[in-house]
């Protein structure tokens, strides 16, 4: 049986893993390596529990530090595991430091790399994840792509036969788990700021954790000013990296219309997507989920990550500026149900099929 080592480390990768691993294990042997990049219970463990993800075979316990320290330590440890396991292939998702470290460790050992969510580009190295995307793609033998724009980017970089449009495993997860949401899923919200934890009937769902928006007070302050004067409260599950800053700014500004809560599990997150009025985020995953649920989204970021979501003001870029955010939130969006650029909810099957075809051809 072909042995595949999968490397994951961060929240969005656990979500993609949940749907892909379920199909992959029907015909391949999977060895799962968790780098430890996300380690808090509600950033890691909760996803394994509620999405029935197999336990990692290895947890490397590497998190924090500079990008160089993190990637360097992961590279050393992943190489040790690969030398021991001798897999036929390495599978990585997305664009985190864990993705890059996995791909580099494997390509140096001449282990073929399969990259899921290949071809996504912002067009700037000012974004730290862009480096991970490009270097991972250029270390990979198989490029499995979510949308047509990703195929175009890869073609322009010289790739052809290795590129396959398979759809977005985030859409698979969204369809699968949306059909299985229970009413109780939203009772688990834990308020960070002391107010009673309950979900209002009408609310905005916000996440904000990108380095570009959270490395100074100023940008988050502008976002809070915008969200505080809306017609409904904002629910903001705060990434651990950003909790101290968010709580301090909320307190100083008296932004009582914004509720800071602990990060929630995946099912609670998509339940909030379904129930929210609108979504404000800097997350690549959440802006797609807003689109899947046909909820207008404002993405506070300088670059377009998912151009397919930007049609008809379904998703609009805003600067981290109060007036710009409020203007964009006030605009009317229009969703065309016939436009489905993220596939049919069965990308996991197509991913596994392409891996099978790759091995059959050798
Ligand atoms: N998400 C979650 N709990 C939260 C906030 C977000 O489960 O408290 C989910 C969200 O629904 C989406 C994913 O996490 O599926 C996005 O992950 P993240 O924003 O960390 O990464 P990105 O998509 O920006 O790479």
């Amino acid at each position: 049986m072909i042995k595949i080592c999968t490397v994951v480390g961060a929240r969005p990768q656990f979500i993609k893993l949940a749907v892909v691993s379920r199909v992959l294990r029907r015909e391949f042997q999977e060895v799962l390596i968790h780098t430890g990049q996300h380690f808090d219970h509600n950033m890691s463990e909760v996803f394994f529990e509620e999405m029935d993800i197999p336990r990692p075979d290895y947890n490397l316990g590497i998190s924090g530090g500079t990008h160089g320290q993190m990637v360097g330590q992961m590279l050393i440890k992943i190489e040790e595991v690969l030398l021991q396991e001798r897999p036929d292939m390495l599978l990585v998702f997305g664009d985190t430091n864990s993705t890059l470290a996995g791909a580099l460790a494997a390509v140096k050992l001449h282990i073929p790399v399969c990259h899921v969510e290949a071809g996504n580009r912002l067009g700037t190295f000012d974004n730290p994840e862009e480096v991970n995307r490009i270097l991972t793609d250029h270390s990979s033998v198989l490029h499995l792509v979510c949308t047509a724009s990703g195929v175009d980017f890869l073609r322009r970089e010289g790739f052809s036969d290795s590129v396959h449009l398979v759809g977005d495993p985030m859409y698979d997860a969204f369809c699968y788990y949306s059909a299985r949401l229970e009413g109780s899923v939203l009772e688990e919200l834990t308020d960070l700021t002391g107010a009673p934890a309950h979900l209002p009937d009408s609310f905005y769902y916000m996440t904000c954790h990108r380095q570009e928006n959270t490395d100074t007070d100023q940008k988050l302050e502008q976002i809070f000013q915008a969200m505080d004067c809306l017609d409904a409260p904002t629910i903001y599950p705060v990434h651990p990296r950003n909790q101290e800053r968010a709580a301090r700014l909320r307190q100083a500004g008296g932004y009582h219309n914004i509720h800071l809560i602990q990060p929630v599990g995946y099912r609670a997150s998509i339940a909030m997507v379904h129930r929210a009025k609108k979504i404000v985020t800097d997350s690549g995953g959440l802006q797609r989920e807003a689109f899947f649920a046909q909820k207008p989204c404002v993405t506070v970021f300088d670059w377009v990550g998912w151009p397919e979501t930007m049609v008809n003001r379904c998703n609009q870029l805003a600067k981290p500026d109060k007036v710009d955010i409020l203007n964009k939130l006030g605009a009317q969006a229009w969703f065309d149900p016939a436009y489905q650029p993220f596939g049919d909810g069965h990308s996991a099957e197509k991913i596994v099929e392409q891996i099978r075809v790759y091995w059959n051809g050798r």
Side-chain angles (χ1 to χ4, degrees), residues 132-150:
N132 298 343
R133 292 181 196 109
I134 292 181
L135 295 183
T136 300
D137 278 337
H138 285 257
S139 304
S140 298
V141 298
L142 206 46
H143 301 93
L144 305 183
V145 188
C146 297
T147 61
S149 63

Side-chain angles (χ1 to χ4, degrees), residues 164-184:
H164 304 281
L165 182 61
V166 292
D168 186 357
M170 290 296 274
Y171 186 48
D172 293 23
F174 188 82
C175 296
Y176 183 89
Y177 290 97
S178 291
R180 290 164 178 79
L181 285 179
E182 303 133 34
S184 63

Side-chain angles (χ1 to χ4, degrees), residues 95-219:
D95 56 17
T96 71
N97 286 339
S98 302
T99 314
L100 176 62
L104 283 180
V107 73
K108 290 274 187 182
L109 294 172
H110 308 293
I111 297 167
V113 177
C114 171
H115 187 202
V116 171
E117 209 178 281
N120 187 226
R121 297 286 184 271
L122 302 185
T124 172
F125 273 154
D126 286 346
N127 171 253
E129 287 89 6
E130 185 85 346
V131 181
N132 298 343
R133 292 181 196 109
I134 292 181
L135 295 183
T136 300
D137 278 337
H138 285 257
S139 304
S140 298
V141 298
L142 206 46
H143 301 93
L144 305 183
V145 188
C146 297
T147 61
S149 63
V151 173
D152 292 343
F153 281 122
L154 287 168
R155 294 255 155 84
R156 268 181 252 156
E157 289 174 29
F159 297 103
S160 58
D161 293 351
S162 62
V163 178
H164 304 281
L165 182 61
V166 292
D168 186 357
M170 290 296 274
Y171 186 48
D172 293 23
F174 188 82
C175 296
Y176 183 89
Y177 290 97
S178 291
R180 290 164 178 79
L181 285 179
E182 303 133 34
S184 63
V185 77
L186 286 171
E187 283 165 18
E188 300 147 18
L189 306 185
T190 323
D191 203 297
L192 276 181
T193 46
H198 70 280
L199 200 65
D201 290 338
S202 173
F203 64 94
Y204 294 85
Y205 178 14
M206 159 175 166
T207 70
C208 177
H209 70 279
R210 294 254 91 78
Q211 193 174 304
E212 290 90 333
N213 283 331
T214 58
D215 55 357
T216 63
D217 285 0
Q218 198 211 345
K219 294 176 183 170

